Amino acid sequence: MGVSEILEELYAEFKTDKEGLAKILEVHKTTIGHLHSGHTKKFSTNLAQKIVNVRPDINFDWILGKSDIIKVPLNKGPYLQTYGKKTISIDEISEHFLNNVEEFEKSPVFALYRKAIFNEGRASAFEEQIKLNNGKGTIDLRGT
């Protein structure tokens, strides 16, 4: 599939034209215009990444012309996913946490952070030790 066909698919996916796509991706309109006119022969990896950042269901390799598969399944997990610049309300975050609290409590990082908070509120010491250990190994907070 060539650049012009990919662009036509993107216009349809985003329900816009070349100027609208440029606005959505926060790139100069000539970036899309050069692709549209054929002046630029392929998508840059930076532009492909901007597209995927806004629409993670669109296949990065398809944009680069390396795959025929347009859409990819989204990773569904216990963590919140945001799409583009969508904001998530405190209520949504709270609901997500409450619905997945058992999964969060299984996390070793959660256990260490909880220990740090209850250890005289010394979360900053915990964070410093994490940085020093590059997130590896055990961290003893008794001496902090």
Side-chain angles (χ1 to χ4, degrees):
M1 188 177 271
V3 170
S4 59
E5 291 91 3
I6 293 170
L7 271 175
E8 290 303 321
E9 286 284 340
L10 289 173
Y11 297 150
E13 286 292 326
F14 284 92
K15 297 176 178 56
T16 191
D17 59 7
K18 63 183 175 183
E19 289 182 13
L21 187 61
K23 285 181 184 178
I24 291 167
L25 301 176
E26 297 180 342
V27 297
H28 198 277
K29 62 184 177 182
T30 58
T31 301
I32 304 299
H34 285 162
L35 284 164
H36 188 85
S37 70
H39 180 71
T40 302
K41 304 290 183 205
K42 63 181 186 172
F43 283 83
S44 70
T45 55
N46 287 341
L47 183 56
Q49 187 60 55
K50 284 182 181 234
I51 294 166
V52 172
N53 286 347
V54 176
R55 287 285 305 274
D57 62 321
I58 296 178
N59 186 353
F60 182 82
D61 287 333
W62 172 77
I63 299 165
L64 296 177
K66 298 179 181 180
S67 174
D68 293 332
I69 301 170
I70 297 173
K71 300 266 185 121
V72 293
L74 295 175
N75 182 15
K76 302 283 184 194
Y79 304 104
L80 291 173
Q81 290 184 342
T82 58
Y83 303 96
K85 295 183 180 220
K86 180 182 184 281
T87 58
I88 298 176
S89 71
I90 297 296
D91 291 340
E92 289 174 303
I93 293 170
S94 298
E95 180 181 347
H96 180 77
F97 179 77
L98 291 174
N99 290 336
N100 295 285
V101 69
E102 290 176 6
E103 194 67 33
F104 285 115
E105 286 178 342
K106 292 177 189 174
S107 165
V109 172
F110 179 83
L112 286 172
Y113 193 71
R114 183 176 54 204
K115 183 178 176 183
I117 289 172
F118 289 116
N119 185 25
E120 300 175 10
R122 296 183 186 254
S124 61
F126 165 76
E127 291 169 355
E128 288 175 23
Q129 287 185 13
I130 286 281
K131 288 177 188 173
L132 291 173
N133 291 329
N134 292 323
K136 297 176 183 172
T138 56
I139 299 172
D140 184 5
L141 295 173
R142 291 174 287 180
T144 59

